[in-house]
Amino acid sequence: MTVYRRIALRTALLYLLLSVVWLQLVGYLLSSFFDQSADRLRWLLINGYAWVLVSAGLIFLTRVRMSRFFGPGEHSADRERLRQAAAVFDCTREGVLVTDRNGLIVHVNRAFMAITGYGRDEVLGQRPNLFKSGRHGPDFYRDMFVALDSLGEWSGEIWNRRKSGEIYPQWQTIRVVRDDNGQVSHYVAVFSDISAIKDSEHELAHLAHHDPLTGLPNRLLFSDRTEQALASAQLHKRGCALLLVDLDHFKNINDSLGHNVGDELLKGVAERFRGLFAPGVTLARLGGDEFAVLVENCAQPGQAAVLARRILDALKEPLRLDQQSLFINASIGISLFPGDALSAGQLLRNADSALFKAKSAGRDGYALYTEELTVHAQQRVEIASELRLALQQQQLRVHYQPVYDLASSRLIGVEALVRWEHPTRGLVSPAEFIPIAERVGLIAQIDAWVMDQACRQMCRWQQAGVALSFVAVNVSSRLFAHRELYEQVAKVLHDTGLDPACLELEVTESAVMEDPEVALEQMHRLRELGVRLAIDDFGTGYSSLLRLKRLPVQKLKIDQGFVAGLPWDEDDAAIVRVIIALAHSMGMQVHAEGIEQREQAAFLLEQACELGQGYWFGRPVAAQQLDWDRAPAIA
Ligand code: C2E
Ligand code: MG
Ligand code: MG
């Protein structure tokens, strides 16, 4: 009740009271003056009561006037409020559902109908369990009613079913409405459809845990799963295996064919791997060309090895991309729980060491982690520190391997190969210490020293009248792109006075492909010095033929991997034929490495390959031990 209305009412009551008092007073006064005849008294009373009635009428009119002036009365305000509530109730975007105390639906709004797909008539008189999704157990509903009973309100996420049968998430608030006696009269539920929010939440969670290119779990999710798997394996006394898969020479594909092709290839590889594994195996892309596989319930190295073989075999068929088909191999490192490691981090590190072993062993294979590998890792650290001393204490040697002209069986050149005469380890192979020297930054010094030694030796041979066309030295891929290489070669030629045409620089195909544009520039500069250029280990680096054509290179050295199968392996034979034809079409000479048998040399000669090198002709030896007179009979 408003203040004004209260004032008006009180004024009117006072007026009424005063009127009655006034009437009694007038009656009393008159009766004392006049004869108290009954008729006069009656007349007075009737007159008085008429006055009261007129007053009451006036009060009513006053009240109506007042209420018109000051606003509607209490009942019309309530009606207005209800009208407004009904409009809000109907226009709100949240679904509203009202049940009576027995849980029968008595009201729903328009949004309710839009969200659920039900018409009003279909739900009035029904119970809300009509919308149950079946996703929540009895405990969920019990907790909800406990909260309603004790707090009078419940809110939370609930999955319900639309009329179409689709299940969707709602954010719902249910409130208990009580009457004046405190008894439950209604339940009001207000809810919104949060499927869109859920979808974007889900999408975000997916993005955070998956690799966008392949859709596989990423490193984060993989680590999580590994930790969970190890915890469960520990509990159930089971074993797990972690396989780390790295594609061989993937970078070359990216560089030579472009990142789009690289991406397509990664997708293709992921697709192929996906088809290999049963449920319970997690396949992830950790980054770049590195994939990881977590196998639960796998205790034996043999089981993991079988899986690794399956992965490698899956890559034997070419991957068909949009424009082309490509072959790619992989190397795999395997580490086992609990045999090799007890934590997820250690398991991954050990698999990485094993992967390194697989790569060092020539790629396209797998290796198991063993204690030995840790020892190897330690040895690598020791070698790195000893290598510095080796340079100072002149423990390095240069050996020379003869190169023969196949047509004439004449020794026409040598390749300089570095050796390390270690005081305790004996002769250490460059395959072992060159990668370490590259990593610790000693390779520049080593290569410069070998080049200097080789050029001096070549000068000595020439002075002694040995008819040798060239000495070849290897240039590390780490140095190849650097400007200093040019200066270093120029300095050696200047210092030794060797005819530049007698010096051949061997650069691996993968070094060229690391940055073909820089390689092209560098090669042109080196050619200006007059030295010869050869591409080493050809066939392993996915060279783009177009790029190869632009390179100022005089020679291709066929990798020994292709020579090994000659002449019987048809694939190797076909590849070698193609390489020879290709090189000749570009005006280059062909030089085959790793010839260990006469038949290999004969096949190569037949294919018009110009030069041959290998144990069959002669192993790398010290300069004084070279046999100049040997002329092996190839045919
Ligand atoms: P590369 O340049 O491809 O050298 C050929 C390798 O094959 C040499 O191994 C050689 O001994 C070996 N080899 C030659 N004929 C045969 C054969 O008939 N059968 C087999 N199985 N192997 C044969 P080496 O001397 O162990 O050198 C390995 C690699 O180390 C070289 O491969 C080269 O990449 C690198 N390297 C050697 N010396 C140097 C150097 O002074 N500087 C740089 N940067 N790398 C070097
Ligand atoms: Mg070489
Ligand atoms: Mg080679």
Side-chain angles (χ1 to χ4, degrees):
M1 198 188 284
T2 65
V3 178
Y4 303 114
R5 238 175 269 137
R6 227 177 283 142
I7 294 169
L9 255 179
R10 279 185 197 157
T11 318
L13 279 172
L14 194 66
Y15 181 66
L16 191 65
L17 199 71
L18 284 174
S19 302
V20 172
V21 171
W22 178 80
L23 189 70
Q24 295 303 321
L25 192 68
V26 169
Y28 175 75
L29 285 175
L30 280 178
S31 58
S32 54
F33 279 108
F34 300 100
D35 208 18
Q36 288 189 359
S37 84
D39 282 350
R40 182 160 290 271
L41 194 62
R42 209 173 295 129
W43 181 86
L44 267 175
L45 279 174
I46 290 167
N47 221 354
Y49 285 113
W51 175 256
V52 169
L53 275 177
V54 170
S55 302
L58 278 174
I59 289 169
F60 178 73
L61 278 176
T62 314
R63 204 191 146 200
V64 169
R65 278 236 179 122
M66 294 282 279
S67 63
R68 273 206 195 134
F69 183 75
F70 290 115
E74 198 173 345
H75 288 295
S76 57
D78 284 350
R79 265 199 307 279
E80 184 63 20
R81 263 207 299 275
L82 278 175
R83 240 195 341 268
Q84 282 172 1
V88 171
F89 177 77
D90 230 35
C91 296
T92 182
R93 291 174 58 180
E94 275 80 41
V96 180
L97 172 150
V98 183
T99 73
D100 62 14
R101 65 163 61 89
N102 301 315
L104 297 176
I105 300 173
V106 292
H107 260 310
V108 290
N109 70 345
R110 253 192 283 176
F112 169 94
M113 295 185 278
I115 296 172
T116 63
Y118 282 102
R120 192 170 271 126
D121 295 342
E122 291 173 289
V123 295
L124 291 185
Q126 303 272 10
R127 291 181 183 282
N129 62 9
L130 176 68
F131 317 117
K132 254 189 173 176
S133 64
R135 266 213 178 184
H136 307 287
D139 288 356
F140 178 84
Y141 295 101
R142 201 173 37 242
D143 291 350
M144 178 194 283
F145 282 106
V146 167
L148 284 174
D149 270 353
S150 54
L151 308 169
E153 187 176 303
W154 175 88
S155 359
E157 202 179 295
I158 183 167
W159 285 79
N160 272 340
R161 190 182 294 276
R162 298 188 217 269
K163 188 180 175 187
S164 62
E166 183 200 348
I167 289 176
Y168 68 107
Q170 294 180 343
W171 180 261
Q172 193 168 98
T173 301
I174 308 177
R175 208 164 270 167
V176 179
V177 181
R178 294 182 188 275
D179 60 18
D180 293 345
N181 303 321
Q183 297 299 311
V184 175
S185 70
H186 294 93
Y187 293 93
V188 179
V190 179
F191 62 88
S192 36
D193 179 350
I194 54 167
S195 18
I197 299 171
K198 278 263 144 192
D199 285 351
S200 48
E201 258 176 26
H202 196 248
E203 210 169 296
L204 277 178
H206 188 87
L207 277 179
H209 291 102
H210 290 80
D211 159 43
L213 183 69
T214 60
L216 291 176
N218 62 10
R219 188 180 281 275
L220 192 69
L221 183 55
F222 186 76
S223 305
D224 261 15
R225 295 230 179 127
T226 310
E227 263 158 32
Q228 283 169 18
L230 295 197
S232 146
Q234 196 145 31
L235 199 69
H236 299 102
K237 308 233 172 311
R238 288 195 307 237
C240 288
L242 195 155
L243 286 76
L244 206 54
V245 186
D246 191 278
L247 303 182
D248 296 336
H249 302 298
F250 174 74
K251 191 174 181 306
N252 296 342
I253 293 195
N254 243 354
D255 290 345
S256 53
L257 303 176
H259 288 258
N260 287 346
V261 175
D263 283 356
E264 282 303 305
L265 184 83
L266 285 171
K267 277 202 258 180
V269 168
E271 210 43 57
R272 199 162 279 184
F273 285 173
R274 252 196 206 109
L276 296 176
F277 308 116
V281 173
T282 302
L283 167 67
R285 180 178 169 224
L286 301 190
D289 59 344
E290 200 170 69
F291 294 84
V293 181
L294 175 72
V295 194
E296 296 184 44
N297 210 358
C298 169
Q300 298 304 320
Q303 277 172 276
V306 168
L307 201 64
R309 189 47 38 228
R310 205 186 302 157
I311 296 172
L312 296 175
D313 287 347
L315 295 176
K316 292 290 172 249
E317 288 289 307
L319 285 142
R320 280 175 230 295
L321 311 183
D322 267 356
Q323 313 255 318
Q324 59 208 306
S325 290
L326 281 180
F327 278 99
I328 185 113
N329 295 327
S331 302
I332 303 175
I334 306 170
S335 169
L336 300 169
F337 169 88
D340 299 333
L342 291 174
S343 72
Q346 194 59 45
L347 200 63
L348 198 63
R349 278 195 293 280
N350 290 355
D352 198 39
S353 303
L355 177 64
F356 184 84
K357 183 174 149 194
K359 292 252 177 207
S360 313
R363 301 171 196 260
D364 193 18
Y366 66 86
L368 285 146
Y369 177 81
T370 53
E371 270 300 311
E372 256 170 74
L373 281 179
T374 321
V375 176
H376 257 100
Q378 282 164 357
Q379 273 177 358
R380 281 202 298 275
V381 175
E382 280 171 25
I383 286 180
S385 65
E386 288 171 355
L387 203 52
R388 287 173 217 278
L389 275 180
L391 274 161
Q392 288 162 14
Q393 299 179 353
Q394 297 176 354
Q395 291 169 6
L396 298 186
R397 307 276 174 268
V398 182
H399 281 192
Y400 298 90
Q401 186 171 27
V403 177
Y404 277 77
D405 173 74
L406 294 180
S408 64
S409 284
R410 222 167 41 85
L411 196 167
I412 64 157
V414 288
E415 178 176 2
L417 295 159
V418 69
R419 301 287 179 262
W420 181 5
E421 262 178 32
H422 191 281
T424 54
R425 291 179 210 271
L427 211 60
V428 185
S429 149
E432 200 173 329
F433 70 85
I434 292 283
I436 297 173
E438 284 178 337
R439 226 174 309 145
V440 298
L442 285 172
I443 191 67
Q445 264 175 284
I446 294 178
D447 274 6
W449 181 81
V450 172
M451 196 181 294
D452 185 75
Q453 294 292 305
C455 290
R456 285 182 200 283
Q457 184 56 53
M458 186 67 179
C459 289
R460 263 179 247 131
W461 279 322
Q462 286 177 335
Q463 280 156 15
V466 175
L468 210 55
S469 313
F470 65 89
V471 60
V473 293
N474 292 283
V475 176
S476 159
S477 58
R478 298 287 165 114
L479 300 181
F480 179 61
H482 289 276
R483 216 193 151 75
E484 296 86 80
L485 178 65
Y486 172 88
E487 280 142 26
Q488 180 191 317
V489 176
K491 181 173 185 300
V492 169
L493 290 173
H494 176 264
D495 289 354
T496 58
L498 180 71
D499 173 5
C502 296
L503 177 63
E504 188 168 286
L505 302 183
E506 291 189 8
V507 186
T508 60
E509 187 190 10
S510 42
V512 174
M513 285 304 143
E514 246 165 53
D515 195 338
E517 289 310 309
V518 172
L520 183 68
E521 206 187 313
Q522 178 78 290
M523 284 185 156
H524 276 296
R525 254 185 292 154
L526 291 170
R527 275 300 287 155
E528 280 168 20
L529 288 175
V531 296
R532 292 153 54 104
L533 298 172
I535 293 194
D536 204 356
D537 304 342
F538 185 77
T540 56
Y542 292 99
S543 291
S544 141
L545 297 185
L546 213 66
R547 289 216 173 99
L548 207 59
K549 208 171 158 188
R550 289 162 61 206
L551 297 177
V553 165
Q554 288 72 57
K555 197 194 256 186
L556 283 192
K557 290 187 77 171
I558 304 180
D559 187 67
Q560 36 183 286
F562 300 112
V563 175
L566 298 180
W568 299 282
D569 186 303
E570 283 174 18
D571 288 343
D572 281 352
I575 291 170
V576 167
R577 268 193 214 104
V578 170
I579 294 178
I580 294 173
L582 171 82
H584 286 167
S585 74
M586 291 190 284
M588 298 179 193
Q589 275 192 319
V590 187
H591 176 147
E593 307 184 74
I595 300 174
E596 294 184 352
Q597 296 167 29
R598 193 195 58 81
E599 290 82 355
Q600 293 168 336
F603 176 89
L604 288 158
L605 176 61
E606 206 178 289
Q607 302 305 318
C609 172
E610 286 89 355
L611 304 167
Q613 172 185 359
Y615 293 167
W616 186 68
F617 289 106
R619 290 186 178 251
V621 287
Q624 313 74 15
Q625 290 167 336
L626 274 170
D627 182 355
W628 302 109
D629 303 324
R630 185 161 179 255
I634 298 174

